[in-house]
């Protein structure tokens, strides 16, 4: 089973991720990982941190001479912030001590208050350092490996921003894998230039007001095999696994597979993807993709469509959110932290990552293989059987 574990605080020394269960013989370079990390740093509306954060990586184990060994891959991602400023050495020191500046005005919508209550802390920093979306850098490093694994059998995962604030891409055209470089060139990772301009204007207006914005991204996976996930038990359904993975992303409050919410209003006669036979490739096809590429908790082999809705960030550059000071119990506004206006474009890259990790886990569960060659052979045998 492919599994992974992240560790690290936002302003600590580094993030770490360990990925266990990758097959041996997979060609991986540090560039595969750093390119994905660079994509996550992009996006109009990000705060000052991303201007100097470099996501410098160290491949600690599991890769030798550019190939996976089948042993756990451990990756360290240094936090540039730690190395830039002595403040964080003291503030995040593991040595016994106490902060001089406890944060006691919790931000509504953030993990601050409930995290402090749950773990018995009196400084919100004890919570926010780990709750921070900085942690997603470690996930993206793991996801880069999952993407390389999926690419062995022709599967690719991409994303684009559908909505930012109230600005929505109304163009129905769906991007294809070859459109990804164009999407990444857009500062809001939008596939439509009219919508892109509206999104940028909305970010500028929110920035002027010291406010923040949420939005919706769409993740698409192409080239999938039939039958990842299963209908036989609730915790093996691919829809459920994808939903959990997407909902685990910081600030994501909603998930949709295919046209789920629109389909809820359709009649059954108009709500399902007709099955046809393509004799050219000896394969079944679906005429539409209303279901988003899954039926009965399994991938159908069609394009997978997963959407993620992100709430506006709860840290605001002009703090206006009402809260209570936990020492005085007096009404106040939440403490100010440096922040982004929006992180929706970056969240798209994280959502790709989470989808890629689920698909890689399920592909490995179905096809197995200790080496990449064995995995590929197993996928080919199954495809042959279907034909
Ligand atoms: C984040 C707050 C900001 C973001 C951070 C996530 O960090 P800081 O408080 O250091 O300015 O920049 O995102 C990252 C550091 C990153 O690499 O994505 C938060 O509170 O979640």
């Amino acid at each position: 089973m492919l599994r992974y574990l992240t560790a690290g605080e936002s302003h600590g020394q580094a993030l770490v991720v360990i990925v266990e269960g990758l097959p041996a013989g997979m060609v991986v370079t540090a560039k595969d990982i750093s390119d994905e990390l660079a994509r996550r740093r992009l996006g109009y509306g990000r705060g000052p941190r991303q201007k100097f954060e470099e996501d410098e990586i160290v491949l600690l184990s599991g890769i030798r001479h550019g190939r996976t060994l089948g042993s756990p891959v451990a990756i360290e991602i240094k936090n540039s912030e730690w190395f830039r400023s002595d403040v964080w050495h003291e503030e995040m020191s593991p040595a016994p001590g106490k902060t001089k500046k406890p944060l006691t005005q919790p931000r509504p919508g953030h993990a601050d208050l409930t995290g402090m209550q749950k773990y018995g802390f009196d400084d919100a920093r004890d919570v926010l350092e780990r709750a921070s979306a900085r942690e997603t850098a470690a996930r993206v490093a793991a996801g880069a490996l999952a993407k390389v694994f999926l690419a062995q059998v022709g599967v690719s995962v991409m994303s684009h921003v559908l909505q930012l604030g109230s600005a929505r891409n109304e163009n129905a055209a769906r991007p294809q894998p070859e459109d990804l470089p164009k999407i990444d060139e857009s500062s809001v990772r939008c596939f439509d230039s009219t919508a892109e301009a509206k999104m940028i204007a909305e970010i500028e207006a929110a920035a002027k007001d010291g406010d923040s914005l949420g939005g919706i991204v769409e993740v698409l996976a192409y080239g999938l095999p039939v039958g990842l996930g299963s209908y036989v038990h609730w915790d093996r359904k691919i829809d459920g696994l994808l939903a959990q993975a997407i909902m685990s992303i910081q600030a994501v409050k909603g998930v949709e597979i295919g046209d789920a919410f629109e389909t809820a209003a359709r009649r059954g006669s108009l709500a399902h993807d007709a099955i046809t036979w393509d004799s050219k490739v000896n394969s079944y096809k679906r005429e539409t993709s209303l279901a988003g590429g899954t039926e009965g908790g399994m991938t159908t082999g069609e394009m997978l469509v997963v959407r993620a809705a992100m709430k506006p960030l709860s840290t605001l550059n002009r703090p206006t959110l009402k809260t209570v000071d936990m020492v005085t119990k007096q009404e106040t506004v939440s403490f100010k932290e440096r922040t982004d206006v929006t992180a929706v474009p970056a969240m798209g890259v994280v959502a790709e990552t989470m989808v890629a990790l689920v698909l890689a886990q399920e592909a490995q569960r179905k096809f197995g293989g200790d080496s990449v060659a064995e995995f590929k052979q197993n996928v080919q045998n199954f495809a042959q059987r279907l034909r």
Side-chain angles (χ1 to χ4, degrees):
M1 184 70 185
L2 184 64
R3 54 198 176 137
Y4 57 99
L5 189 67
T6 74
E9 277 74 42
S10 179
H11 303 96
Q13 192 161 338
L15 301 167
V16 177
V17 60
I18 299 179
V19 184
E20 200 268 329
L22 288 166
M26 199 170 88
V27 175
V28 182
T29 63
K31 190 171 179 305
D32 291 324
I33 300 162
S34 31
D35 283 355
E36 287 296 311
L37 290 169
R39 292 181 64 228
R40 196 198 66 97
R41 287 197 301 275
L42 295 175
Y44 198 62
R46 290 285 258 160
R49 174 93 183 253
Q50 299 313 311
K51 297 200 170 57
F52 59 76
E53 200 52 69
E54 285 164 13
D55 291 335
E56 185 193 333
I57 59 168
V58 186
L59 299 180
L60 295 170
S61 75
I63 298 174
R64 179 166 182 252
H65 299 159
R67 304 179 133 234
T68 51
L69 295 171
S71 56
V73 175
I75 306 168
E76 181 187 73
I77 307 168
K78 293 186 193 299
N79 285 330
S80 311
E81 179 97 275
W82 168 275
F83 296 94
R84 276 166 54 95
S85 141
D86 288 344
V87 173
W88 295 113
H89 291 235
E90 199 176 316
E91 199 56 51
M92 296 303 293
S93 170
K98 215 170 180 342
T99 181
K100 293 184 197 91
K101 294 171 292 188
L103 301 171
T104 58
Q105 292 148 2
R107 295 160 296 176
H110 218 284
D112 301 345
L113 175 59
T114 314
M116 288 164 87
Q117 290 176 306
K118 179 173 165 69
Y119 289 93
F121 295 138
D122 53 13
D123 175 11
R125 186 163 300 288
D126 286 328
V127 175
L128 70 87
E129 283 290 335
R130 181 63 184 162
S132 164
R134 171 76 189 140
E135 182 260 348
T136 60
R139 301 198 210 185
V140 168
L145 298 173
K147 284 183 180 177
V148 173
F149 175 65
L150 292 169
Q152 309 296 320
V153 290
V155 177
S156 63
V157 185
M158 62 184 296
S159 69
H160 63 118
V161 173
L162 265 189
Q163 187 170 331
L164 213 156
S166 64
R168 193 174 169 94
N169 178 0
E170 304 288 359
N171 187 343
R174 279 230 164 86
Q176 299 292 310
E178 58 273 19
D179 295 317
L180 189 57
K182 179 174 178 261
I183 293 166
D184 283 345
E185 271 167 34
S186 158
S187 63
V188 282
R189 304 198 66 255
C190 180
F191 187 48
D192 178 83
S193 50
T194 311
E196 178 190 54
K198 285 191 198 143
M199 290 175 187
I200 291 172
E202 193 142 338
I203 294 171
E204 283 171 354
K208 213 163 133 226
D209 294 341
D211 221 323
S212 63
L213 294 171
I216 300 173
V217 303
E218 183 173 78
V219 181
L220 305 168
Y222 288 93
L224 282 170
V226 170
L228 301 187
S230 179
Y231 62 90
V232 301
H233 201 247
W234 70 267
D235 61 357
R236 291 185 57 189
K237 289 175 189 272
I238 197 91
D239 310 63
L241 297 169
L242 289 165
Q244 204 271 324
I246 291 289
M247 292 293 286
S248 75
I249 302 170
Q250 290 82 342
V252 168
K253 294 294 272 184
V255 65
E256 183 178 30
I257 313 270
D259 288 356
F261 291 101
E262 233 179 285
T263 296
R266 289 181 179 129
R267 285 193 167 193
S269 52
L270 299 171
H272 301 287
D273 303 317
I275 300 171
T276 58
W277 176 253
D278 185 342
S279 53
K280 281 196 220 91
V281 283
N282 270 352
S283 174
Y284 296 104
K285 289 268 160 216
R286 303 294 191 285
E287 272 182 355
T288 46
S289 55
L290 306 177
T294 72
E295 283 173 353
M298 297 167 290
T299 54
T300 59
E302 296 286 336
M303 169 182 66
L304 180 78
V305 183
V306 183
R307 303 204 185 101
M310 186 183 207
K311 66 182 178 182
L313 301 173
S314 51
T315 318
L316 304 182
N317 275 314
R318 186 170 57 91
T320 47
L321 293 175
K322 187 166 124 182
T323 188
V324 168
D325 187 297
M326 294 174 76
V327 178
T328 64
K329 304 288 187 284
Q330 296 299 303
E331 184 180 317
T332 180
V333 287
S334 52
F335 60 78
K336 185 182 167 349
E337 282 269 294
R338 185 183 58 190
T339 186
D340 309 314
V341 176
T342 186
V344 172
M347 190 274 283
V349 178
V350 179
E352 275 175 36
T353 281
M354 296 312 291
V355 169
L357 282 160
V358 169
L359 295 175
Q361 282 171 325
E362 289 307 303
Q364 219 217 17
R365 189 207 286 252
K366 175 155 172 55
F367 299 108
D370 292 307
S371 67
V372 160
E374 198 180 348
F375 167 66
K376 280 162 90 165
Q377 189 62 55
N378 294 347
V379 174
Q380 276 163 21
N381 291 349
F382 178 68
Q384 184 62 36
R385 201 200 90 198
L386 290 187
R387 276 195 294 273

